[in-house]
Amino acid sequence: LAKPAHETLFVAREIRALIASGVNPVEIAVVYRDNRDAWPFASLFERLGIPHAVRSDENALADPLVRQLVLLLRVVNAPHNDELLARSLFIEFLGLDHLAVYTALAHYEALRRERRRSARDAGDATRFHERLIHVLRREPIQNSASTPAPGDESRSLATYARLLGSWSSFAQNRGLLEAIELIVRESGFLAFLLRSPRGHEGIRKLENCIAELARAVPGHRSYGLDEALRHLDILERYGVSLGGRGEIGGPPAVVLLTAHKAKGLEFEHVF
């Protein structure tokens, strides 16, 4: 086909037709050259509801959803960091209404400009110290209602801001793994995974991350969220892959794998 996108769509349609005719998804494979070639297929299959599993030497830290979770952990560790907090408002599994987010950010920026102008007119060089999290907690902002997070109750921006304070306090006073478990559960991340067609893969990647942190904890009794994030930064900086071998598991699914990984395997239908 002329364009890679057309090829991907053609393969997806053919696979969906095979499954509809009664073919077991595990007997269907999509083979490509490099691991990065899996993403277009996985993304399209996700949208079309085609069950699939990526079999590769994958890095859990490169997974988009895991990266969103790590971002949330960074915000919990530094809730007064406006840049991190603003980015976290678009995290998929939090289920926040994007219109409410844009309204809140615009309100905060307007407030910052007005306070700075007033201080300048009054000859007061004091900087504006109110943070974004303070604005979110008040929530008298128009359109601040949010849509429900998948598998979770409706969450407003103010509720999210209060949860951040609660998680931050919990992380400061309890064990690292206990804190991560709480955040994974209360943020809606786990419920989101369980509702996803590729949830078993996401859970496996989450387990890989937690297992890596658990290996580091025993030797450091004071190991907290800040140290854990530094540890993950070091792994990423030096290109250390964090994850298993992408073994196939969970419900029957179309297999996505490299030509190298396909050696010695047999499938009824190969694309």
Side-chain angles (χ1 to χ4, degrees):
L1 297 179
K3 297 182 179 180
H6 295 165
E7 180 183 19
T8 304
L9 183 59
F10 171 78
V11 170
R13 287 176 174 173
E14 290 293 307
I15 289 176
R16 190 161 60 173
L18 286 172
I19 295 175
S21 69
V23 175
N24 190 330
V26 299
E27 294 297 339
I28 305 173
V30 177
V31 181
Y32 38 82
R33 178 174 297 180
D34 300 313
N35 284 323
R36 63 175 178 270
D37 296 329
W39 185 86
F41 292 102
S43 178
L44 181 58
F45 289 3
E46 185 92 26
R47 294 197 298 272
L48 296 179
I50 298 176
H52 58 284
V54 180
R55 186 170 185 176
S56 64
D57 295 327
E58 57 195 4
N59 182 7
L61 293 177
D63 181 83
L65 202 56
V66 172
R67 295 183 72 86
Q68 290 182 44
L69 177 61
V70 173
L71 171 59
L72 179 58
L73 295 179
R74 294 187 191 282
V75 178
V76 172
N77 189 52
H80 291 90
N81 185 314
D82 286 350
E83 180 183 354
L84 290 176
L85 177 55
R87 287 170 52 199
S88 78
L89 297 177
F90 297 94
I91 288 177
E92 190 176 7
F93 57 82
L94 290 177
L96 299 173
D97 179 19
H98 287 181
L99 177 60
V101 170
Y102 285 121
T103 301
L105 293 178
H107 173 78
Y108 179 58
E109 185 57 32
L111 183 62
R112 285 170 58 90
R113 287 197 301 266
E114 179 60 29
R115 294 288 177 84
R116 287 172 177 170
R117 186 182 303 112
S118 298
R120 185 171 58 251
D121 293 343
D124 184 1
T126 303
R127 297 184 62 184
F128 175 60
H129 289 291
E130 188 170 38
R131 297 297 185 183
L132 177 58
I133 193 168
H134 301 143
V135 174
L136 297 182
R137 281 174 179 165
R138 290 200 298 270
E139 200 198 354
I141 306 167
Q142 187 178 4
N143 294 329
S144 60
S146 67
T147 56
D152 197 4
E153 60 182 13
S154 178
R155 179 182 294 124
S156 68
L157 296 178
T159 299
Y160 173 52
R162 288 191 289 268
L163 279 171
L164 284 175
S166 175
W167 295 335
S168 181
S169 177
F170 190 91
Q172 291 290 331
N173 296 287
R174 306 294 283 269
L176 169 65
L177 300 182
E178 192 176 356
I180 292 178
E181 179 183 351
L182 177 73
I183 295 168
V184 165
R185 185 176 67 253
E186 291 190 351
S187 67
F189 180 81
L190 183 59
F192 188 91
L193 285 182
L194 294 176
R195 292 170 61 92
S196 170
R198 297 177 61 198
H200 65 284
E201 287 188 32
I203 290 175
R204 174 170 50 77
K205 292 174 182 177
L206 174 62
E207 290 174 344
N208 289 336
C209 292
I210 293 178
E212 171 63 28
L213 295 177
R215 282 193 289 269
V217 168
H220 303 274
R221 293 185 177 182
S222 60
Y223 205 80
L225 195 53
D226 187 57
E227 289 79 12
L229 291 170
R230 292 179 185 177
H231 183 70
L232 294 180
D233 286 340
I234 291 173
L235 293 179
E236 193 162 12
R237 184 180 307 123
Y238 290 98
V240 179
S241 180
L242 183 58
R245 296 288 179 174
E247 296 302 326
I248 300 173
V254 176
V255 182
L256 307 180
L257 73 174
T258 62
H260 177 72
K261 278 284 184 181
K263 291 180 179 179
L265 301 180
E266 294 184 1
F267 300 92
E268 289 185 5
H269 305 274
V270 179
F271 294 88

